Amino acid sequence: MRSLPPFDALVAFDTALRHRSMTRAAAELGMTQSAVSHRLRRLEAYVGAPLLNRSSTGLSATPAGTALATGLADLLDGLSDLRARCRAIALPSGLRVGVGAALADYWLVRRLPAFATANAGLEVELTIVESEAELRSAGIDVHILWQPTATARSSSTQRLLFQEQVFPVCVPRLLPGGRTLRDPGALATLPLLHKGTPGRGQGAEWSWPVWFERLGIAGKPPAAAVRFGNIHTAIAAALQGAGVVMARSLLVHDALQDGRLVRVLPPSWDMASSKAHVVRWPAALTGDERVRRFVKWAVAEAEKTTGRRVAVQPSPKVRL
């Protein structure tokens, strides 16, 4: 009989060490912080030694934790590929695509029918995935996700799709003549929509105070009368005329093309997003024909949307 460690505790340890935070680990795993702590205590009891040091700068591995962490991430990645390998054999005609709600509603669903028409016989199931916990439980074959630009590069299991710009937009009727403001200072007179929790995990491009400073607007921007938890609902509110929202170029591309939204400021004021979209697949599906066709199509659609080729340096291992 093998003496195996508790698997859920290994996942909790890997996640906590990767984030260096119990709070962020709990958020990724979709559980409470106390539940994560309980799993870590079980793993420490199994190992017989402390695994994590806690300090004001975050979590770090003890010598025993370092020994455990060595190779653990690769082991978990390999285990996560088991389902992909089985699905590739058992369900060779279908493809399950995971994507965030905002990207699905504002970009992907409008384009998927064209992919279905060009790929008769390949059934695509679109699943909304907003967290790592949902991704692990959904059996996703291809995942389009938003991640920091530092890690958004092509590799053997992912391709870069979009490097976006962030800028304010609103419905035409909120602007004089429905056109871009000539005087950036006039932005201070418009209702502003706020996204996310202030000061937590957001880049400077999403901060109204940063934008007011760049624009030379004196004083502070109005307090947030309405704040939305995510960009999906914030853009939905802007489409209903509730105010000016800070948006990513990809998510409002179609609305700008259709005239449902307009730019508030000229493009010269745009700020680069600190994150980018990539399309990723399990290592077990590298070279899979279904994945190859979808990724090739997604990259082509990205280039069509942005009007330029995606600047990537593909790894020699990429097989597309």
Side-chain angles (χ1 to χ4, degrees), residues 1-26:
M1 294 288 292
R2 294 188 180 94
S3 177
L4 299 176
F7 179 74
D8 59 350
L10 287 175
V11 174
F13 170 74
D14 175 73
T15 308
L17 185 58
R18 179 157 39 84
H19 286 294
R20 297 175 56 84
S21 165
M22 296 289 287
T23 301
R24 289 194 290 271

Side-chain angles (χ1 to χ4, degrees), residues 56-222:
S56 59
T57 59
L59 301 176
S60 61
T62 64
T66 300
L68 178 61
T70 302
L72 179 58
D74 290 340
L75 174 63
L76 294 177
D77 287 342
L79 290 174
S80 68
D81 282 350
L82 290 176
R83 178 164 47 186
R85 285 196 288 268
C86 294
R87 282 178 55 83
I89 296 173
L91 301 170
S93 62
L95 187 71
R96 182 172 291 182
V97 177
V99 63
L103 185 64
D105 286 356
Y106 296 128
W107 185 76
L108 188 57
V109 294
R110 190 173 189 176
R111 292 161 173 81
L112 268 182
F115 176 79
T117 300
N119 294 271
L122 176 54
E123 178 180 322
V124 176
E125 179 182 341
L126 192 64
T127 301
I128 300 302
V129 175
E130 301 287 7
S131 69
E132 290 289 336
E134 292 175 334
L135 177 63
R136 284 191 296 271
S137 64
I140 299 300
D141 298 315
V142 179
H143 183 205
I144 301 178
L145 65 158
W146 201 44
Q147 65 178 38
T149 54
T151 58
R153 59 176 64 91
S154 290
S155 71
S156 60
T157 56
Q158 74 177 28
R159 287 289 303 272
L160 175 66
L161 288 183
F162 305 99
Q163 292 178 306
E164 297 179 84
Q165 300 293 309
V166 176
F167 48 83
V169 297
C170 67
V171 293
R173 63 180 174 80
L174 291 183
L175 300 180
R179 298 182 178 181
T180 299
L181 294 176
R182 292 183 178 180
D183 174 19
L187 178 63
T189 66
L190 300 175
L192 305 180
L193 304 179
H194 298 251
K195 176 187 75 72
T197 304
R200 293 189 59 186
Q202 297 199 91
E205 66 270 23
W206 300 105
S207 168
W208 278 117
V210 169
W211 277 80
F212 272 51
E213 182 178 345
R214 292 177 68 225
L215 296 169
I217 300 175
K220 297 182 179 179

Side-chain angles (χ1 to χ4, degrees), residues 24-36:
R24 289 194 290 271
E28 177 177 317
L29 295 172
M31 61 178 60
T32 64
Q33 187 173 334
S34 62
V36 175

